[in-house]
PDB file of all heavy atoms in Angstrom:
ATOM      1  N   VAL N 103      -3.473   2.191 -22.109  1.00  0.00           N
ATOM      2  CA  VAL N 103      -2.656   1.046 -22.433  1.00  0.00           C
ATOM      3  C   VAL N 103      -3.541  -0.087 -23.143  1.00  0.00           C
ATOM      4  O   VAL N 103      -3.152  -0.660 -24.196  1.00  0.00           O
ATOM      5  CB  VAL N 103      -1.997   0.300 -21.340  1.00  0.00           C
ATOM      6  CG1 VAL N 103      -1.316  -1.020 -21.653  1.00  0.00           C
ATOM      7  CG2 VAL N 103      -0.959   1.274 -20.686  1.00  0.00           C
ATOM      8  N   ALA N 104      -4.772  -0.222 -22.735  1.00  0.00           N
ATOM      9  CA  ALA N 104      -5.748  -1.044 -23.428  1.00  0.00           C
ATOM     10  C   ALA N 104      -6.121  -0.708 -24.796  1.00  0.00           C
ATOM     11  O   ALA N 104      -6.018  -1.514 -25.666  1.00  0.00           O
ATOM     12  CB  ALA N 104      -7.072  -1.205 -22.660  1.00  0.00           C
ATOM     13  N   LEU N 105      -6.132   0.597 -25.078  1.00  0.00           N
ATOM     14  CA  LEU N 105      -6.321   1.156 -26.411  1.00  0.00           C
ATOM     15  C   LEU N 105      -5.200   0.759 -27.208  1.00  0.00           C
ATOM     16  O   LEU N 105      -5.232   0.509 -28.520  1.00  0.00           O
ATOM     17  CB  LEU N 105      -6.658   2.604 -26.431  1.00  0.00           C
ATOM     18  CG  LEU N 105      -8.063   3.013 -25.879  1.00  0.00           C
ATOM     19  CD1 LEU N 105      -8.140   4.516 -25.695  1.00  0.00           C
ATOM     20  CD2 LEU N 105      -9.174   2.476 -26.714  1.00  0.00           C
ATOM     21  N   GLN N 106      -3.995   1.061 -26.735  1.00  0.00           N
ATOM     22  CA  GLN N 106      -2.648   0.731 -27.418  1.00  0.00           C
ATOM     23  C   GLN N 106      -2.623  -0.690 -27.801  1.00  0.00           C
ATOM     24  O   GLN N 106      -2.058  -1.084 -28.906  1.00  0.00           O
ATOM     25  CB  GLN N 106      -1.540   1.268 -26.689  1.00  0.00           C
ATOM     26  CG  GLN N 106      -0.146   1.081 -27.377  1.00  0.00           C
ATOM     27  CD  GLN N 106       0.927   1.672 -26.557  1.00  0.00           C
ATOM     28  OE1 GLN N 106       0.799   2.237 -25.477  1.00  0.00           O
ATOM     29  NE2 GLN N 106       2.144   1.662 -27.080  1.00  0.00           N
ATOM     30  N   ARG N 107      -3.093  -1.624 -26.884  1.00  0.00           N
ATOM     31  CA  ARG N 107      -2.913  -3.036 -27.170  1.00  0.00           C
ATOM     32  C   ARG N 107      -3.924  -3.338 -28.394  1.00  0.00           C
ATOM     33  O   ARG N 107      -3.635  -4.385 -29.163  1.00  0.00           O
ATOM     34  CB  ARG N 107      -3.381  -3.790 -25.904  1.00  0.00           C
ATOM     35  CG  ARG N 107      -2.353  -3.736 -24.846  1.00  0.00           C
ATOM     36  CD  ARG N 107      -2.651  -4.807 -23.806  1.00  0.00           C
ATOM     37  NE  ARG N 107      -2.399  -6.186 -24.192  1.00  0.00           N
ATOM     38  CZ  ARG N 107      -2.803  -7.203 -23.476  1.00  0.00           C
ATOM     39  NH1 ARG N 107      -3.222  -7.095 -22.252  1.00  0.00           N
ATOM     40  NH2 ARG N 107      -2.651  -8.422 -23.966  1.00  0.00           N
ATOM     41  N   GLN N 108      -5.059  -2.626 -28.459  1.00  0.00           N
ATOM     42  CA  GLN N 108      -5.963  -2.895 -29.638  1.00  0.00           C
ATOM     43  C   GLN N 108      -5.217  -2.577 -31.005  1.00  0.00           C
ATOM     44  O   GLN N 108      -5.456  -3.292 -31.976  1.00  0.00           O
ATOM     45  CB  GLN N 108      -7.240  -2.118 -29.468  1.00  0.00           C
ATOM     46  CG  GLN N 108      -8.012  -2.612 -28.292  1.00  0.00           C
ATOM     47  CD  GLN N 108      -9.265  -1.717 -28.120  1.00  0.00           C
ATOM     48  OE1 GLN N 108      -9.646  -0.925 -28.943  1.00  0.00           O
ATOM     49  NE2 GLN N 108     -10.006  -2.031 -27.041  1.00  0.00           N
ATOM     50  N   SER N 109      -4.384  -1.519 -31.002  1.00  0.00           N
ATOM     51  CA  SER N 109      -3.810  -1.104 -32.227  1.00  0.00           C
ATOM     52  C   SER N 109      -2.354  -1.814 -32.319  1.00  0.00           C
ATOM     53  O   SER N 109      -1.870  -1.791 -33.441  1.00  0.00           O
ATOM     54  CB  SER N 109      -3.665   0.428 -32.288  1.00  0.00           C
ATOM     55  OG  SER N 109      -2.777   0.712 -31.199  1.00  0.00           O
ATOM     56  N   SER N 110      -1.849  -2.337 -31.317  1.00  0.00           N
ATOM     57  CA  SER N 110      -0.688  -3.049 -31.335  1.00  0.00           C
ATOM     58  C   SER N 110      -0.727  -4.434 -30.663  1.00  0.00           C
ATOM     59  O   SER N 110      -0.367  -4.592 -29.496  1.00  0.00           O
ATOM     60  CB  SER N 110       0.552  -2.187 -30.594  1.00  0.00           C
ATOM     61  OG  SER N 110       0.543  -0.960 -31.192  1.00  0.00           O
ATOM     62  N   PRO N 111      -1.302  -5.352 -31.466  1.00  0.00           N
ATOM     63  CA  PRO N 111      -1.409  -6.664 -30.900  1.00  0.00           C
ATOM     64  C   PRO N 111      -0.157  -7.408 -30.345  1.00  0.00           C
ATOM     65  O   PRO N 111      -0.307  -8.269 -29.404  1.00  0.00           O
ATOM     66  CB  PRO N 111      -1.972  -7.522 -31.960  1.00  0.00           C
ATOM     67  CG  PRO N 111      -2.465  -6.470 -32.983  1.00  0.00           C
ATOM     68  CD  PRO N 111      -1.659  -5.364 -32.857  1.00  0.00           C
ATOM     69  N   ASP N 112       0.967  -6.897 -30.743  1.00  0.00           N
ATOM     70  CA  ASP N 112       2.214  -7.526 -30.276  1.00  0.00           C
ATOM     71  C   ASP N 112       2.586  -7.118 -28.887  1.00  0.00           C
ATOM     72  O   ASP N 112       3.512  -7.512 -28.247  1.00  0.00           O
ATOM     73  CB  ASP N 112       3.416  -7.140 -31.136  1.00  0.00           C
ATOM     74  CG  ASP N 112       3.209  -7.828 -32.541  1.00  0.00           C
ATOM     75  OD1 ASP N 112       2.503  -8.736 -32.693  1.00  0.00           O
ATOM     76  OD2 ASP N 112       3.806  -7.273 -33.524  1.00  0.00           O
ATOM     77  N   LEU N 113       1.838  -5.997 -28.241  1.00  0.00           N
ATOM     78  CA  LEU N 113       2.131  -5.502 -27.009  1.00  0.00           C
ATOM     79  C   LEU N 113       1.613  -6.514 -25.979  1.00  0.00           C
ATOM     80  O   LEU N 113       0.314  -6.740 -25.857  1.00  0.00           O
ATOM     81  CB  LEU N 113       1.436  -4.097 -26.664  1.00  0.00           C
ATOM     82  CG  LEU N 113       1.657  -3.554 -25.359  1.00  0.00           C
ATOM     83  CD1 LEU N 113       3.133  -3.190 -25.265  1.00  0.00           C
ATOM     84  CD2 LEU N 113       0.864  -2.231 -25.275  1.00  0.00           C
ATOM     85  N   THR N 114       2.478  -7.166 -25.170  1.00  0.00           N
ATOM     86  CA  THR N 114       2.018  -8.315 -24.325  1.00  0.00           C
ATOM     87  C   THR N 114       2.034  -7.748 -22.931  1.00  0.00           C
ATOM     88  O   THR N 114       2.600  -6.715 -22.499  1.00  0.00           O
ATOM     89  CB  THR N 114       3.050  -9.405 -24.475  1.00  0.00           C
ATOM     90  OG1 THR N 114       4.235  -9.054 -23.885  1.00  0.00           O
ATOM     91  CG2 THR N 114       3.207  -9.890 -25.861  1.00  0.00           C
ATOM     92  N   PRO N 115       1.403  -8.626 -22.007  1.00  0.00           N
ATOM     93  CA  PRO N 115       1.459  -8.201 -20.520  1.00  0.00           C
ATOM     94  C   PRO N 115       2.815  -8.217 -20.018  1.00  0.00           C
ATOM     95  O   PRO N 115       3.132  -7.325 -19.072  1.00  0.00           O
ATOM     96  CB  PRO N 115       0.532  -9.461 -19.948  1.00  0.00           C
ATOM     97  CG  PRO N 115      -0.270  -9.805 -20.932  1.00  0.00           C
ATOM     98  CD  PRO N 115       0.436  -9.625 -22.324  1.00  0.00           C
ATOM     99  N   THR N 116       3.727  -9.038 -20.557  1.00  0.00           N
ATOM    100  CA  THR N 116       5.129  -8.971 -20.157  1.00  0.00           C
ATOM    101  C   THR N 116       5.801  -7.653 -20.499  1.00  0.00           C
ATOM    102  O   THR N 116       6.526  -7.018 -19.732  1.00  0.00           O
ATOM    103  CB  THR N 116       5.987 -10.156 -20.784  1.00  0.00           C
ATOM    104  OG1 THR N 116       5.416 -11.299 -20.409  1.00  0.00           O
ATOM    105  CG2 THR N 116       7.408 -10.195 -20.298  1.00  0.00           C
ATOM    106  N   ASP N 117       5.411  -7.111 -21.648  1.00  0.00           N
ATOM    107  CA  ASP N 117       5.948  -5.839 -22.043  1.00  0.00           C
ATOM    108  C   ASP N 117       5.479  -4.769 -21.135  1.00  0.00           C
ATOM    109  O   ASP N 117       6.230  -3.724 -20.723  1.00  0.00           O
ATOM    110  CB  ASP N 117       5.493  -5.471 -23.596  1.00  0.00           C
ATOM    111  CG  ASP N 117       6.046  -6.420 -24.572  1.00  0.00           C
ATOM    112  OD1 ASP N 117       7.315  -6.834 -24.404  1.00  0.00           O
ATOM    113  OD2 ASP N 117       5.480  -6.644 -25.558  1.00  0.00           O
ATOM    114  N   ILE N 118       4.249  -4.824 -20.799  1.00  0.00           N
ATOM    115  CA  ILE N 118       3.638  -3.768 -19.830  1.00  0.00           C
ATOM    116  C   ILE N 118       4.209  -3.987 -18.462  1.00  0.00           C
ATOM    117  O   ILE N 118       4.758  -2.775 -17.870  1.00  0.00           O
ATOM    118  CB  ILE N 118       2.079  -4.008 -19.759  1.00  0.00           C
ATOM    119  CG1 ILE N 118       1.391  -3.811 -21.095  1.00  0.00           C
ATOM    120  CG2 ILE N 118       1.507  -3.222 -18.555  1.00  0.00           C
ATOM    121  CD1 ILE N 118       0.004  -4.199 -21.085  1.00  0.00           C
ATOM    122  N   LEU N 119       4.458  -5.146 -17.997  1.00  0.00           N
ATOM    123  CA  LEU N 119       5.119  -5.247 -16.655  1.00  0.00           C
ATOM    124  C   LEU N 119       6.575  -4.682 -16.689  1.00  0.00           C
ATOM    125  O   LEU N 119       7.099  -3.976 -15.768  1.00  0.00           O
ATOM    126  CB  LEU N 119       5.161  -6.735 -16.294  1.00  0.00           C
ATOM    127  CG  LEU N 119       5.842  -7.139 -15.030  1.00  0.00           C
ATOM    128  CD1 LEU N 119       5.136  -6.424 -13.761  1.00  0.00           C
ATOM    129  CD2 LEU N 119       5.968  -8.642 -14.889  1.00  0.00           C
TER     130      LEU N 119
END
Side-chain angles (χ1 to χ4, degrees):
V103 173
L105 289 174
Q106 186 175 356
R107 290 189 67 184
Q108 293 178 7
S109 59
S110 303
D112 293 337
L113 183 63
T114 67
T116 299
D117 295 328
I118 296 171
L119 178 64

